[in-house]
Amino acid sequence: MEDDDLSFACFQDNQTLETWVNQQPLDKVVNCLGDGHDGIWNIIANIGESYQRREILDWYHLKENLYRVGGSVKGLRRAENHLWSGEIETELAEFSDYKGNKKGLDNFRNYLKHHQARIPDYSLYQLLDIPIGSGAVESLIKRINQRVKIPGAQWKSENVSQILKLRCTYLNYHS
């Protein structure tokens, strides 16, 4: 995270999260990384204006879904190379004579088609220093959880938001 990045967390309150993000000074282009879960993209759809958002499917989650299909290591690496370059149509054609897990392949094809607009040329994005993975966000979530998930602690639902605010305040001033 950059020095001027802020931490903010909500518990089962997407509207508050969206409002908070939209109150921040947003760049002309906002990089929005997601793992493929529609709930994330529903939130992202409410951030800034559509022309501001650069929606990017997290590279590591894309690879994870690819490797669930299975098959030969050589075939999977070839598929990974196509995806790394953003060659979705080439990748879809690669599996035309695939004889393995057909259900897994169908799921992956649907995943690719559903997120096709979010799959860039990752190699170019990496060269341009545009983030392709959500590791920094996932790391922040772990840091927030260090206070929320204390061994033996049990939180009432109505108190979770308060402890999240406290933890984020601490991280914002001590990071």
Side-chain angles (χ1 to χ4, degrees):
M1 284 184 26
E2 303 292 325
D3 290 338
D4 57 349
D5 287 346
L6 291 175
S7 303
F8 184 80
C10 293
F11 179 67
Q12 299 178 342
D13 186 0
N14 294 344
Q15 181 63 50
T16 298
L17 176 64
E18 294 164 7
T19 300
W20 181 84
V21 170
N22 285 313
Q23 289 173 344
Q24 306 309 304
L26 300 177
D27 285 339
K28 289 180 183 177
V29 176
V30 179
N31 295 313
C32 301
L33 284 153
D35 63 5
H37 189 279
D38 285 337
I40 298 296
W41 298 108
N42 292 339
I43 293 170
I44 288 172
N46 294 315
I47 293 175
E49 301 296 330
S50 59
Y51 65 85
Q52 281 181 288
R53 289 189 303 273
R54 179 184 291 138
E55 296 183 7
I56 306 166
L57 185 65
D58 180 285
W59 167 249
Y60 303 97
H61 285 94
L62 175 58
K63 266 181 60 172
E64 181 180 55
N65 279 281
L66 167 64
Y67 279 81
R68 284 184 187 146
V69 174
S72 72
V73 172
K74 183 179 176 183
L76 289 169
R77 289 223 173 101
R78 189 172 50 245
E80 186 179 324
N81 287 333
H82 290 305
L83 294 172
W84 179 248
S85 301
E87 301 168 358
I88 308 304
E89 295 303 324
T90 304
E91 177 47 37
L92 289 169
E94 274 291 316
F95 284 108
S96 60
D97 60 349
Y98 180 73
K99 302 202 182 350
N101 176 0
K102 293 292 186 184
K103 183 176 182 194
L105 177 59
D106 288 343
N107 288 341
F108 184 65
R109 281 185 166 160
N110 290 334
Y111 179 82
L112 285 179
K113 289 175 185 173
H114 184 67
H115 296 292
Q116 189 163 1
R118 298 177 179 123
I119 300 173
D121 179 338
Y122 291 99
S123 62
L124 176 62
Y125 274 31
Q126 190 175 52
L127 284 172
L128 297 173
D129 205 27
I130 297 170
I132 60 169
S134 57
V137 173
E138 292 183 21
S139 175
L140 175 61
I141 291 168
K142 287 179 184 175
R143 290 174 60 204
I144 291 170
N145 279 341
Q146 285 176 345
R147 175 65 179 106
V148 178
K149 292 185 175 180
I150 298 172
Q154 295 180 352
W155 305 102
K156 291 183 180 178
S157 293
E158 59 269 17
N159 295 335
V160 173
S161 292
Q162 293 169 329
I163 197 67
L164 287 173
K165 286 178 188 175
L166 287 171
R167 182 63 177 157
C168 287
T169 300
Y170 173 82
L171 290 172
N172 288 336
Y173 293 103
H174 294 91
S175 292

